[in-house]
């Protein structure tokens, strides 16, 4: 979401920082104004009320006066996005007098700083509330704003949370919190059918239909009006049925989770079991027993929990949660003091608790943080109930084009008034004919036509195992030109093969030990680290967890025991801990086994995990594993081999995934539960490198090649080592062989350094240095030195780490766009950095997609234009798209369907616009003779032609091959406008020719409509036709025996009807984005039948049929002439589309001749760098003050509040 100029803090904000952020304006109702508006409703027959229903802000402005929020009884909410949508809400009051004595002088809430104490007005004991999108806000007089009340205050420190909420709340405080915060329930009511019906009927589309039907009844178009009413009722019924079905499905999805029995601590009554909807923020839960669903967001205070967060992340790997630290002096709020690790203490609503283990004899406890719709699951449900509108240019252009059609209709109204008034028609007839022009020129279904391609594309994606919770994004997928990929589990296999371990001894490394050799690794600290430094759990007798942890533990051939069953030989001391011991076929080690007493779980931001384990013999150890570069920072220098860097690069440059191991012995008798992470992770001894092989998925290389051929840029964004990532990028084909690869290393200002610096190193030279002295054949083959090339060589790839990326953003912001332009590999990236990288690409006007498989990618998946998660879940809060196929084959499929949907939207839009304009031109021509189309003529065009075409024209599937260019994104693009204008002119020329030429025929008579077929040789019905003298003379346009019959009417109607079919065929685009039109079998069959029926109308001399359709008999040669006109129209239209509209070479030549250049920021930057011979700066180290190339708009804010990062940059 771009930054809005109106987003100043002059007005308070609700949902601040979220997707649905809103400004709040206060108003006070005025009785006189309300009375005047009621009178207006009556006098306008409800039209004024309808306007206020569509535009609530007008209703508020008309009935209320602005006031301060403290006095307001009505508020107007305005979204801060580009849509500026308004919502009206009433301020309500909650009374607490029945629960609190009026003379009570004690604080109502034990915490004197609690928000709830501030929002209770005294002595009235009332609370002013506002409910917006299911979230309750209360008025805080001290802050003069509405504040969310369904959450625990963020200002509490860790020690305060333990002290104030560790033993639970008192009964009265629970009741007060429950009244103010509301029930802990995610309630989605089943909307009554009558409400859905009224809401659908009041849609502007159906209101316009109602207006049209009334007008048509007034003009005695009875049959046509009845048909439109029946179609509208069918459409409304189907829509209401679908909405009702969705409402019931969502209600059932969340209803079962609203009444979960939970155990709550109460200060007065102890632990008691209550229904989960009674929970309030601040309650203390006792987590005991087996599997259970968590009914709220909670902070773990004690013990340890293993949860399944697949509902949130789409990743079904058990996640270990650790308790909030305690016993440390802290002054910062708990989130700030926990830094990047704060989510490891949070249990999210809707997730499944697999195991809960207490500390010793105490059960696991958690304090309720958020309830109801304020929880993580509540946010997911709210995002479904209140989806964010997509501001795609296609929809904006459609509304602008609709306004243009209204302008055209206004011209037609003036024309109609002039023609009928000058011919002496009655005023009522003039008004009806003028209004009729609007119903013809403005197709009410035009905006809806844009969604048909999306609906069919969504169905095709579902059949391919790709699920979508934001259908509007499908069209956006058609514009993607850059795709970011996570590495592990996305480009490479989930499972890792353990290749070997390189142990450190003193200041050197030993020879690598290969696990495939069959010789076991001798018992020692490294073996103990592999057996105990993990977050695996036993679930239903099966060991589950991260694939890396699982592979590492399996290599030890040890066994893990279920902590719920107790452990033999330990006297029950480890009843709630994970115990590992040698398997039955393994030699018994000195300690006999180990108990994992404490875990500091792995964090993508910290890039490490640590455990505290105790041998059965009593010795206690701390073990760490993680990114080798991070692990060595916590090790004593004398334990790190001097060749650490070259040894690490030796394996990472071959594509291996390398894990660093470290450990230290802890003092005997140490209190493990009170140990802080900082104290455990210090003065460690480096143990060595665990080398794991991560193979590419077989689908990766072909898909990346397909994207490359389609000129869609691929970028790797991973948390792995940079050398490993570069090697994988090369193997996958992301970095071609003849490319220049430059490693960027940026360092912040350090002691003794004048400023921050950035080094640019060609990677082939760096690899040569890293491999010097290595054993022959063990080092990967370095790239041959590239010959001297221009500095702006297109095959240029930058690689950098997350730390360098942060330094660039902080100290070299002018270089960020230039680096992103050629950035290929971004390694050691935290989740927050991944999301920021996607946003930085978006600032350069790239349409960015993101594909990942885990929790670490959620932020980037949300902020991308199209995020697709590889998951077994059909849908999750992780991303708009979810693929059940666990590889990146879904990416080109999504882009193909997006392009097909986008082109389908254009085709449908152009057809609907041309259809209405063709009918409009025909009617205006007939108005010149005070005539029009007949009842059944309108009926046939609208139902038998346009409705069937609208239902079948969008059925074309996506073309199987990605084209090396994208479809246009705007309806106002020159090719599309030219297509509409040319076909409009051809239709106008065809109808005008038919209208004028028929009047010049020798058999033409303006009054005798049987003259053509009564002349000798002019038709097959001359014997059946009465003589001309016996035929009554009927003036055109006068309803009577002849109705609307005339030679002009017959000629123009047949031409306009067949012209609609020609336009439908020409506009039904196939290659390069959709399947050829002949493969849309349903559409072809419909089109053939329609053409056959129209030709039957053209050549059949059936008097009864012609009378019903209000057609007249014409000579055969004239009918052939009409057909030749249509053939000429079709050929000209087809040639214009192929030779002009779809001629890319012609448009490229015109762009060059006119000097047109892309306005995209990344294109501007490319042009700016073309003449810069100093770019890129190879083999140099730059400091602050480098010359900047400014990119307009890059420095502006670009935010997507769907993702709010709570992570700080790494220190």
């Amino acid at each position: 979401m771009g930054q809005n100029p109106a987003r100043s803090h002059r007005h308070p904000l609700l949902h601040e920082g979220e997707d649905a952020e809103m400004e709040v304006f206060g108003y006070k109702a005025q009785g006189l104004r309300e009375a005047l508006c009621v009178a207006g409703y009556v006098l306008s027959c409800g039209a004024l009320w309808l306007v206020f229903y569509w535009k609530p802000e007008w209703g508020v402005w008309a009935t209320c006066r602005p006031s301060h929020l403290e006095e307001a009884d009505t508020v107007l909410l305005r979204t801060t996005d580009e849509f500026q949508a308004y919502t009206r809400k009433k301020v309500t009051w909650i009374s607490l007098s029945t629960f609190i004595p009026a003379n009570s002088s004690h604080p109502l809430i034990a915490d004197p700083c609690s928000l709830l104490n501030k929002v209770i007005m005294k002595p009235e004991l009332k609370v002013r509330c506002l409910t917006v999108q299911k979230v309750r806000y209360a008025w805080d007089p001290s802050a003069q704003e509405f504040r969310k009340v369904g959450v625990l205050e963020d200002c509490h420190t860790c020690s305060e949370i333990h002290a104030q909420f560790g033993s639970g709340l008192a009964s009265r405080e629970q009741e007060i919190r429950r009244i103010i915060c509301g029930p802990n329930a995610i309630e989605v009511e089943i909307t009554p059918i009558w409400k859905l019906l009224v809401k659908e009927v009041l849609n502007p589309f159906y209101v316009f239909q109602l207006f049209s039907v009334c007008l048509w009844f007034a003009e005695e178009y009875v049959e046509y009006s009845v048909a439109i009413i029946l179609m509208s009722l069918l459409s409304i019924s189907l829509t209401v049925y679908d909405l009702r079905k969705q409402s019931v499905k969502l209600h059932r999805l969340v209803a079962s989770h609203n009444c979960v029995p939970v155990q709550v601590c109460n200060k007065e009554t102890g632990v008691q079991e209550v229904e989960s909807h009674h929970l309030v923020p601040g309650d203390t839960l006792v987590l005991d027993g087996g599997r259970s669903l968590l009914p709220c967001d909670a902070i773990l205070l004690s013990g340890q929990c293993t949860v399944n967060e697949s509902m949130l992340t789409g990743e079904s790997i058990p996640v270990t949660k650790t308790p909030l630290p305690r016993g440390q002096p802290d002054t910062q709020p708990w989130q700030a003091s926990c830094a990047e690790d704060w989510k490891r203490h949070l249990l999210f609503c809707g997730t499944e608790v697999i195991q809960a283990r207490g500390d010793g004899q105490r059960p696991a406890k958690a304090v309720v943080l958020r309830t109801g719709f304020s929880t993580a699951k509540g946010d997911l449900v709210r995002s479904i109930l209140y989806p964010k509108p997509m501001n795609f240019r296609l929809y904006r252009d459609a509304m602008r084009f609709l306004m243009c059609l209204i302008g055209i209709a206004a011209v037609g109204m003036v024309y109609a008034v002039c023609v009928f008034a000058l011919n002496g028609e009655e005023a009522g007839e003039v008004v009806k004919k003028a209004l009729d022009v609007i119903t013809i020129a403005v197709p009410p279904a035009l905006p809806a036509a844009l969604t048909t391609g999306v609906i069919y594309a969504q169905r095709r994606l579902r059949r391919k195992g790709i699920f979508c919770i934001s259908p509007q994004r499908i069209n956006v997928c058609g514009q993607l030109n850059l795709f970011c990929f996570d590495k592990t589990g996305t480009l490479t296999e989930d499972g890792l093969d353990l290749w070997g371990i390189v142990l450190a001894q003193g200041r050197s490394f030993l020879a690598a030990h290969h696990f495939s050799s069959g010789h076991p690794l001798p018992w020692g600290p490294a073996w103990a680290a592999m057996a105990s430094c993990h977050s695996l759990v036993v679930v239903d007798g099966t060991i589950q967890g991260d694939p890396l942890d699982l592979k590492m533990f399996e290599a030890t051939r040890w066994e893990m025991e279920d902590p719920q069953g107790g452990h033999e030989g330990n006297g029950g001391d480890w009843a709630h801990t994970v115990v590992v011991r040698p398997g039955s076929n393994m030699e018994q080690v000195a300690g006999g086994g180990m108990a994992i007493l404490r875990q500091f779980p792995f964090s993508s931001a910290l890039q490490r995990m640590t455990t505290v384990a105790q041998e059965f013999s009593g010795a206690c150890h701390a073990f760490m594993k993680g990114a080798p570069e991070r692990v060595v920072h916590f090790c004593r220098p004398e334990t790190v081999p001097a060749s650490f860097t070259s040894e690490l690069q030796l394996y990472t440059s071959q594509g291996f995934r390398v894990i660093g191991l470290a450990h230290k012995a802890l003092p005997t008798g140490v209190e493990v539960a009170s140990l802080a992470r900082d104290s455990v992770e210090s003065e460690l001894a480096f143990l060595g490198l665990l080398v794991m092989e991560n193979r590419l998925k077989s689908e990766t290389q072909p898909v990346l090649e397909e994207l490359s051929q389609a000129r869609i840029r691929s970028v790797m964004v991973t948390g792995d080592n940079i050398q490993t990532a570069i090697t994988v990028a090369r193997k996958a084909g992301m970095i071609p062989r003849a490319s220049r690869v430059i490693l960027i290393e940026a360092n912040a200002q350090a002691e003794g350094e004048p400023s921050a610096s950035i080094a640019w190193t060609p990677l082939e030279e760096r690899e040569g240095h890293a491999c010097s002295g290595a054993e022959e054949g063990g080092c990967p083959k370095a790239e041959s030195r590239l010959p001297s090339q221009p500095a702006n060589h297109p095959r240029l790839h930058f690689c950098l780490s997350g730390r360098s990326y942060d330094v660039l953003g902080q100290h070299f912001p002018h270089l960020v766009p230039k680096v992103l332009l050629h950035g290929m590999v971004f390694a050691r990236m935290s989740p927050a950095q991944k999301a920021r990288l996607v946003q930085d690409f978006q600032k350069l006007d790239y349409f960015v997609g993101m594909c990942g498989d885990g929790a670490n990618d959620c932020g980037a998946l949300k902020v991308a234009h199209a995020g697709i998660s590889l998951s077994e879940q059909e849908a999750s809060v992780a991303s708009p798209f979810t693929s059940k196929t666990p590889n990146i084959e879904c990416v080109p499929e999504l882009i193909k369907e997006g392009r097909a949907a986008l082109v389908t939207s254009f085709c449908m839009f152009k057809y609907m616009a041309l259809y209405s304009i063709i009918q409009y031109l025909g009617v205006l021509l007939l108005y010149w003779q005070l005539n029009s189309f007949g009842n059944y003529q309108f009926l046939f065009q609208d139902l038998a032609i346009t409705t069937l075409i609208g239902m079948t024209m969008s059925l074309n599937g996506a073309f199987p091959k990605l084209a090396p260019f994208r479809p246009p994104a705007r309806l106002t693009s020159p090719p599309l406008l030219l297509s509409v204008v040319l076909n409009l002119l051809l239709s106008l020329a065809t109808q005008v020719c038919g209208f004028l030429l028929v009047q010049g025929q020798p058999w033409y008579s303006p009054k005798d409509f049987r003259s053509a077929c009564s002349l000798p040789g002019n038709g097959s019905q001359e014997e059946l036709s009465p003589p001309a003298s016996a035929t009554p003379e009927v003036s055109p346009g006068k309803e009577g025996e002849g109705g609307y019959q005339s030679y002009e009417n017959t000629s123009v109607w047949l031409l306009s009807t067949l012209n609609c079919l020609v336009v439908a065929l020409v506009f039904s685009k196939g290659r390069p984005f959709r399947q050829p039109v002949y493969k849309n079998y349903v559409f072809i069959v419909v089109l053939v039948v329609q053409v056959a029926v129209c030709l039957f109308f053209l050549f059949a001399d059936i008097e009864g049929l012609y009378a019903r359709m209000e057609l007249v008999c014409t000579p055969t040669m004239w009918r052939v002439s009409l057909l030749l006109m249509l053939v000429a129209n079709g050929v000209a239209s087809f040639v214009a589309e192929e030779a002009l509209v779809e001629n890319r070479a012609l448009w490229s030549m015109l762009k060059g001749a006119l000097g047109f250049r892309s306005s995209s920021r990344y294109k501007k930057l490319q042009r700016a760098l073309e003449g810069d011979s100093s770019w890129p700066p190879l083999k140099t180290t730059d400091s602050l003050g480098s010359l900047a190339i400014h990119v307009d708009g890059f420095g502006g804010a670009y935010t997507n509040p769907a993702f709010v990062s709570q992570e700080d940059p790494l220190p």
Side-chain angles (χ1 to χ4, degrees), residues 243-278:
L243 291 173
R244 172 79 172 188
K245 188 168 135 185
Q246 291 179 16
S247 178
V248 171
K249 184 177 180 181
L250 192 57
H251 172 79
R252 289 175 179 170
L253 180 68
V254 300
S256 59
H257 302 162
N258 288 333
C259 291
V260 179
V262 291
Q263 291 184 320
V264 179
C265 289
N266 186 290
K267 282 186 176 178
E268 299 160 354
T269 59
V271 178
Q272 56 185 7
E273 185 173 295
V274 298
E275 295 288 343
S276 60
H277 65 269
H278 292 305

Side-chain angles (χ1 to χ4, degrees), residues 479-653:
Q479 285 296 301
L480 296 177
N481 57 357
L482 185 149
F483 227 100
C484 297
F485 294 94
D486 179 38
K487 183 182 73 68
T488 307
T490 304
L491 299 176
T492 60
E493 297 287 353
D494 263 327
L496 297 168
D497 293 327
L498 207 58
W499 182 84
I501 186 169
V502 186
L503 296 176
Q505 189 175 61
R507 295 284 290 169
S508 62
F509 282 104
L510 300 176
H513 173 84
H514 298 274
F515 290 100
S516 59
S517 64
H519 300 294
L521 185 70
W523 168 255
W527 190 268
M530 293 173 61
S532 62
C533 193
H534 52 72
S535 56
L536 301 174
V537 294
V538 179
V539 180
D540 299 330
T542 305
I543 301 176
Q544 296 183 11
D546 186 271
L548 186 150
D549 286 350
L550 199 58
K551 204 64 146 179
M552 181 183 70
F553 182 73
E554 287 174 351
T556 65
R557 289 181 281 182
W558 278 34
E559 296 175 348
M560 181 182 294
E561 297 182 3
D562 188 347
Q564 302 298 328
H567 311 291
E568 296 179 6
N570 302 316
D573 293 338
W574 296 328
H576 295 283
T577 61
V578 175
V579 170
V580 293
R581 64 175 78 228
S584 56
N585 58 345
M586 290 289 295
E587 293 183 12
Q588 294 300 311
V589 298
M594 306 181 75
I596 304 172
L597 304 180
R598 184 83 184 271
Q599 289 184 4
F600 299 98
F602 178 80
S603 164
S604 298
L606 299 177
Q607 299 176 356
R608 66 185 186 273
M609 81 164 293
T610 305
T611 60
V612 177
Q614 183 178 350
E615 295 180 15
F616 287 178
S617 60
C620 204
H621 302 268
F623 298 99
M624 175 188 286
K625 83 171 192 298
E629 310 96 310
R630 299 292 296 166
V631 170
V632 294
H633 281 92
F634 301 94
C635 296
R636 300 193 307 274
E638 64 271 17
T639 66
V640 180
S643 59
F644 169 80
T645 303
S646 59
E647 192 77 12
L648 175 62
Q649 193 158 353
L650 173 65
Y651 293 103
T652 57
S653 60

Side-chain angles (χ1 to χ4, degrees), residues 315 340-341 344 601-609 627 630 657 677 718-720 828-834 854-857 1207 1210:
E315 192 173 27
E340 298 91 350
D341 215 25
R344 285 293 178 181
F602 178 80
S603 164
S604 298
L606 299 177
Q607 299 176 356
R608 66 185 186 273
M609 81 164 293
R630 299 292 296 166
R657 185 168 185 183
R677 185 164 192 164
T718 178
D720 209 344
R828 293 298 187 213
M829 298 285 282
S830 70
Q833 288 170 330
K834 289 182 180 182
N856 303 334
D857 307 310
E1207 297 195 48
L1210 289 174

Side-chain angles (χ1 to χ4, degrees), residues 1057-1069:
T1057 303
L1058 281 164
N1059 195 14
C1060 288
L1061 299 180
V1062 169
V1063 167
L1065 182 61
V1066 171
F1067 283 170
S1068 186
K1069 296 293 179 189

Side-chain angles (χ1 to χ4, degrees), residues 116-162:
L116 301 188
N117 275 326
K118 300 176 184 178
V119 301
I120 300 174
M121 296 185 177
K122 299 176 181 179
E124 300 92 347
L125 297 179
K126 290 183 177 181
V127 180
R128 295 178 72 233
C129 290
L130 187 66
T131 302
V132 180
Q133 293 185 352
K134 306 288 187 180
V135 176
R136 182 177 291 182
Y137 292 83
W139 176 254
D140 181 3
S142 60
Q144 291 291 291
E145 65 179 3
F146 285 98
R147 299 179 63 183
K148 191 185 294 187
V149 291
V151 299
L152 198 64
E153 289 79 3
D154 292 332
C155 59
H156 292 294
T157 65
C158 295
S159 55
E160 287 174 348
I161 290 177
H162 279 283

